[in-house]
Amino acid sequence: MTKKFAVLALMFLTFGMGWAQTSEEQKTTINWEEVQVVYDLNEVAEMTQGSKMTETIKTSLNFGTKSKVKKNCLKELKKQAAEKGYSVIYIDEEASKDKRFNKRGIEVTLVGIGYKG
């Protein structure tokens, strides 16, 4: 009887701690809509730098305007940053680009660096 109790207690502690860790991780998850976008490095000087992220959308202008495609690309980049736990993205405008292909096609590439802080 005591062996069963010891095994049950050990299982409870093991799984109980796992649940606690999961709930703590959920609290630190950032909503992608709350991720801020900055274009000046001075705004993120005090923050911890993360990894470089890139998002590319290639589509026809028949499905929207150039600004709409950029907006959708930025939305995807913000989702990527939120998954990694970044609260701010610095957009590198020199590395980011948009180019035309065919007569009605556009390819937008945004390059950003995530920051925590």
Side-chain angles (χ1 to χ4, degrees):
M1 185 74 153
T2 57
K3 271 188 176 180
K4 287 182 182 178
F5 179 76
V7 169
L8 287 173
L10 182 62
M11 288 178 62
F12 176 73
L13 289 173
T14 303
F15 290 117
M17 289 179 157
W19 291 332
Q21 290 173 350
T22 304
S23 64
E24 286 176 17
E25 289 172 2
Q26 289 176 352
K27 289 179 185 175
T28 60
T29 303
I30 298 170
N31 184 0
W32 70 269
E33 294 171 333
E34 296 173 359
V35 174
Q36 297 177 355
V37 179
V38 297
Y39 297 91
D40 185 11
L41 271 175
N42 294 329
E43 294 183 43
V44 291
E46 302 288 323
M47 302 179 105
T48 306
Q49 183 177 347
S51 63
K52 185 176 185 180
M53 300 171 290
T54 304
E55 187 65 41
T56 301
I57 293 182
K58 186 175 183 177
T59 188
S60 170
L61 287 175
N62 294 332
F63 298 109
T65 62
K66 182 177 168 182
S67 62
K68 184 177 178 182
V69 174
K70 279 189 173 183
K71 183 179 176 182
N72 289 339
C73 193
L74 185 59
K75 178 180 172 182
E76 293 301 317
L77 194 64
K78 286 173 76 172
K79 287 181 180 179
Q80 197 179 121
E83 287 176 7
K84 295 181 179 184
Y86 301 130
S87 58
V88 177
I89 303 173
Y90 163 70
I91 301 294
D92 186 359
E93 292 181 298
E94 292 179 10
S96 301
K97 60 184 175 186
D98 55 302
K99 64 180 181 178
R100 300 284 303 251
F101 65 92
N102 298 337
K103 290 183 179 182
R104 296 284 302 157
I106 188 168
E107 179 179 305
V108 174
T109 302
L110 290 179
V111 179
I113 300 172
Y115 285 87
K116 292 181 182 179

